Amino acid sequence: MARPILIAPSILSADLTHLADEVRAIDAAGGDFIHVDVMDGHFVPNISFGPIIVESIRPLTRKVIDVHLMIAPADPYIEAFARAGSDIITVHAEAGPHLDRSLQMVRSFGKRAGVSLNPSTPESMLDYLLDQIDLVLVMSVNPGFGGQAFIPAMTGKITRVRQMIGDRKIHLEVDGGISPLTAGEVAARGADVLVAGSAIFKGGAGSYAANIEALRRAAIAGAARP
Ligand code: DX5
Ligand code: ZN
């Protein structure tokens, strides 16, 4: 049976001068997860949001708040993001030496745990973690900015991660350069959560529903390929 395709708008590309309206708009437009990119200017060459942003948007939506931690170390901040109202907390495999401990910490706060892999990081990093995680995030760009081009070599990694997951209840999320042009291929290879920033927020709030629908349609068509 085909996995439902979930769309996760990344608020990094939202009009941040009207964040509350933007969150309500993407919720109403059909976004399934609200993707929050947390950057520390150290793990990645950019600085974005802290726990206070999660706390601020939590009352605005019942949708899943999907927090992508591009910070190193991650452990000192996991509790704050959990208490702020995150539903999924994803740490990068490259953020520190004790990934297993970080995942246990996320789950100890009753949250779903994710692992993100930079483009150069092999999927073998997941070998001993599959029973500790609820989501694998395959980065299809080098993290730090929206609006970058999709790295084609990541399609092979998506296929292999899907094989590793097997029939476990683990989401396979892809992030970076996702548009109607790339959504079909990543879904065909097994991605079920598609993060998108520029492809959704372009054109203003009046276009969000059509942009989300275009992504979902392309992904469903891709997933249906024989
Ligand atoms: C990049 C972030 C992505 C980014 C996606 O480091 O993790 O979530 O915002 O933006 P687009 O879809 O424009 O590539
Ligand atoms: Zn992200």
Side-chain angles (χ1 to χ4, degrees), residues 10 35-39 68 70 137 139 175-176 195:
S10 161
H35 187 81
V36 180
D37 288 308
V38 178
M39 302 176 180
H68 177 193
M70 288 163 274
L137 172 49
M139 289 305 304
D175 184 9
V195 177

Side-chain angles (χ1 to χ4, degrees), residues 15-93:
D15 172 0
L16 298 177
T17 63
H18 298 97
L19 184 57
D21 297 339
E22 293 280 82
V23 170
R24 291 193 188 97
I26 50 171
D27 183 336
D32 303 292
F33 289 4
I34 311 291
H35 187 81
V36 180
D37 288 308
V38 178
M39 302 176 180
D40 64 355
H42 166 65
F43 181 73
V44 289
N46 198 0
I47 298 174
S48 63
F49 315 125
I52 194 161
I53 290 291
V54 175
E55 199 177 327
S56 306
I57 67 170
R58 179 71 279 178
L60 307 175
T61 178
R62 291 177 186 204
K63 298 284 172 76
V64 169
I65 296 185
D66 171 35
V67 173
H68 177 193
L69 296 182
M70 288 163 274
I71 66 175
D75 292 9
Y77 301 96
I78 288 174
E79 180 171 4
F81 279 101
R83 294 196 184 288
S86 311
D87 297 295
I88 303 174
I89 298 175
T90 296
V91 297
H92 261 269

